Amino acid sequence: MNATNRIMNRALLALGGVILAAAGLAAVIGTVRPEWAAGSYATVTGWAERALAAADAPAFAVPGDPPVFVIAALALAVVVTVLLVAFLLTRHRGRTATVVTATTPGGTVTVDGSVAEAVLAGPLRRRRDVLAAHLRAYRVRGVAAIRLSITVRRGADLAQALAAAENAVAAWDALAGARVPVLIHLTDRTWRDALRSGIRAQ
Amino acid sequence: MRSEAAVYRRVLRRETHAARTGPALTLAIIALAVVTSASGLIIWGMVDPDAQARALAHAGSVLADARARVGIVAAGAVAVLLALLLIAGALLPGRRARRARTTQRVALVVDDGVLADAAADRVAAVCGIASSKVSVAVRRRGLRVRVVPISGVPVDTRAVETAAAQAVADLGLGTTARATIADSGVVG
């Protein structure tokens, strides 16, 4: 439900796959038919040198006097590093703390997610058939939306749990005054829930 | 400010399909390490005058060894297989094991395991069998119920299918069910 750009994720996977396949094929072909490898390496470096000469790249005085395409490869490496770091830092966006924002004549009122947690998740947690209830707010299409995750005990009536959740949402609607989109997620039990004791003290 | 229906559509589409963030993050970190070490090697080659010659000689000696060449070919094959996995991950839709729908007020997403448990419990209650003898698999097309009956007590397949489908329909997620009764029963 967060705003992570999934197309970028998939694009990176596809690009990585293509590059890895090319590297793997090059390794296999280079070892099995080294003369092909030497020939194609010479061709590729020839192309690179001609392209860079045509682009009239300035001559740098660099220790070791490497061919120009090595410097280009280094520059490419720097660009790729910057892009990858930017990619890493932009994952998992979209969580928000405020759930309702309203402008009144007296000023702006913002309602925090913890209020929603108390009104929505609190009464559900107290029910006998609910093992756990969490709430998180995200920004979806410019609007704050709430995800209410409920873990229900084995053997509980799902329709009843859902009705209780919808009642809690109705109570929240009355309280908040604004209609906030709510996602109710009935989650699987995890191994930790299996270890939980079957006895609850209230 | 989009309508609530549009918000729910986007939410449900994202909730029912995998994000691929995990594999993408892993790949990005590995790629970062590879690019950084490659840059380091290139710079070392530039700074150290005989590094290039030494590296080429070393590579030549490695390639002459037959065992090393087999190793490189094997590594290359593994790399191609991994690459196919990555490309598959990028192109396949990655539908998650969840069912979703919208009601008048809320959007609802239910994990398949919850539905399987509810169907199994309902079947066990209807047929008078222990729920441990009922196994339910939730597939794209419907539920597959497998029942191990009590020896000598016949089990109505149609009743099992109706009970399983009804357990899921109670949440508004309509589905079909197919039941298989095991040939050999258990005692008690």
Side-chain angles (χ1 to χ4, degrees):
Chain A
M1 211 164 138
N2 51 31
T4 312
N5 192 335
R6 295 184 169 199
I7 300 179
M8 290 286 305
N9 285 344
R10 286 168 180 254
L12 187 68
L13 285 181
L15 191 62
V18 166
I19 292 178
L20 189 60
L25 282 175
V28 170
I29 294 178
T31 334
V32 171
R33 289 265 182 277
E35 56 277 9
W36 287 3
S40 45
Y41 180 71
T43 325
V44 168
T45 52
W47 286 344
E49 301 247 346
R50 276 199 300 270
L52 285 170
D56 199 20
F60 290 104
V62 180
D65 195 18
V68 186
F69 81 92
V70 169
I71 304 198
L74 217 48
L76 184 65
V78 170
V79 169
V80 167
T81 311
V82 169
L83 287 176
L84 282 175
V85 170
F87 176 82
L88 283 175
L89 292 176
T90 54
R91 299 299 96 189
H92 282 311
R93 281 254 179 98
R95 270 183 224 141
T96 182
T98 62
V99 163
V100 171
T101 315
T103 331
T104 67
T108 317
V109 179
T110 58
V111 179
D112 190 62
S114 51
V115 178
E117 166 113 29
V119 173
L120 282 170
L124 288 175
R125 269 187 218 122
R126 287 193 282 276
R127 284 176 61 90
R128 239 172 304 184
D129 51 1
V130 170
L131 288 174
H134 307 289
L135 186 139
R136 208 158 217 175
Y138 296 87
R139 221 160 170 77
V140 180
R141 289 211 186 281
V143 169
I146 294 176
R147 177 222 294 266
L148 180 58
S149 307
I150 307 176
T151 312
V152 176
R153 189 182 286 281
R154 172 85 196 245
D157 189 336
L158 290 181
Q160 265 186 11
L162 181 60
E166 291 189 309
N167 287 342
V169 171
W172 161 256
D173 281 342
L175 182 68
R179 191 162 148 132
V180 179
V182 174
L183 172 77
I184 298 182
H185 183 190
L186 296 178
T187 57
D188 277 331
R189 279 171 296 278
T190 64
W191 56 272
R192 292 165 62 197
D193 293 315
L195 293 175
R196 234 185 265 248
S197 152
I199 304 171
R200 289 249 297 261
Q202 285 197 324
Chain B
M1 174 72 176
R2 301 291 203 101
S3 74
E4 189 174 86
V7 171
Y8 281 153
R9 264 203 306 273
R10 179 169 165 95
V11 166
L12 288 184
R13 201 165 39 84
R14 286 177 76 93
E15 284 296 305
T16 49
H17 291 76
R20 311 283 194 223
T21 304
L25 279 181
T26 317
L27 182 64
I29 292 177
I30 294 179
L32 209 50
V34 167
V35 167
T36 316
S37 37
S39 320
L41 285 175
I42 292 179
I43 294 178
W44 184 23
M46 292 198 310
V47 166
D48 188 355
D50 10 80
Q52 268 188 11
R54 276 205 317 245
L56 280 174
H58 186 67
S61 70
V62 163
L63 284 177
D65 180 11
R67 274 204 315 232
R69 290 169 65 191
V70 167
I72 293 180
V73 170
V78 167
V80 170
L81 283 176
L82 268 179
L84 288 176
L85 279 179
L86 286 177
I87 295 178
L91 295 178
L92 293 177
R95 266 188 279 266
R96 303 182 74 160
R98 298 176 168 178
R99 304 273 167 119
R101 86 178 239 258
T102 38
T103 66
Q104 272 171 333
R105 172 63 185 92
V106 301
L108 175 66
V109 167
V110 187
D111 287 350
D112 277 353
V114 176
L115 292 175
D117 283 343
D121 290 339
R122 185 70 64 89
V123 165
V126 158
C127 305
I129 325 168
S131 56
S132 57
K133 297 290 177 285
V134 182
S135 84
V136 179
V138 182
R139 300 276 159 75
R140 280 245 70 69
R141 273 176 305 153
L143 307 172
R144 299 280 174 273
V145 185
R146 194 181 144 75
V147 175
V148 179
I150 302 177
S151 294
V153 178
V155 174
D156 181 6
T157 318
R158 195 60 54 83
V160 168
E161 291 175 355
T162 318
Q166 188 59 44
V168 175
D170 279 350
L171 282 177
L173 303 161
T175 187
T176 56
R178 268 238 314 259
T180 330
I181 316 288
D183 292 325
S184 51
V186 285
V187 177

